[in-house]
């Protein structure tokens, strides 16, 4: 695991640990949907973070 991936995982951990009950319900719903597709919340979060960063880098050019 790269340092950048660890940083993203820490951000997700913090998001979950500091979430309000309403936010936790949304996170749980998203996680359940991901699991039905055979994905974990962490995998989706890491993939989406890298996609967002790549699109930002491309748009800056």
């Amino acid at each position: 695991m790269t340092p950048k991936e660890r940083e993203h995982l820490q951000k997700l951990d913090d998001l979950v640990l500091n979430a309000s009950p309403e936010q936790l319900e949304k996170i749980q719903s998203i996680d359940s949907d991901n699991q039905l597709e055979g994905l974990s919340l962490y995998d989706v979060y890491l993939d989406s973070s890298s996609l967002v960063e790549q699109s930002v880098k491309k748009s800056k050019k």
Side-chain angles (χ1 to χ4, degrees):
M1 180 179 300
T2 68
K4 195 69 168 175
E5 288 173 325
R6 283 192 183 111
E7 181 183 321
H8 288 299
L9 290 177
Q10 183 63 50
K11 286 181 183 180
L12 181 59
D13 286 344
D14 292 342
L15 177 82
V16 171
L17 291 172
N18 297 315
S20 68
E22 295 82 15
Q23 291 169 323
L24 273 178
E25 284 183 33
K26 290 178 186 178
I27 292 169
Q28 288 173 328
S29 175
I30 292 167
D31 188 35
S32 294
D33 292 343
N34 290 337
Q35 288 180 28
L36 290 173
E37 294 183 25
L39 303 169
S40 75
L41 184 61
Y42 288 98
D43 291 335
V44 172
Y45 183 79
L46 282 176
D47 285 345
S48 66
S49 295
S50 64
L51 291 173
V52 168
E53 285 179 22
Q54 288 174 9
S55 70
V56 168
K57 287 178 184 176
K58 287 181 183 177
S59 66
K60 286 183 178 180
K61 290 183 180 180

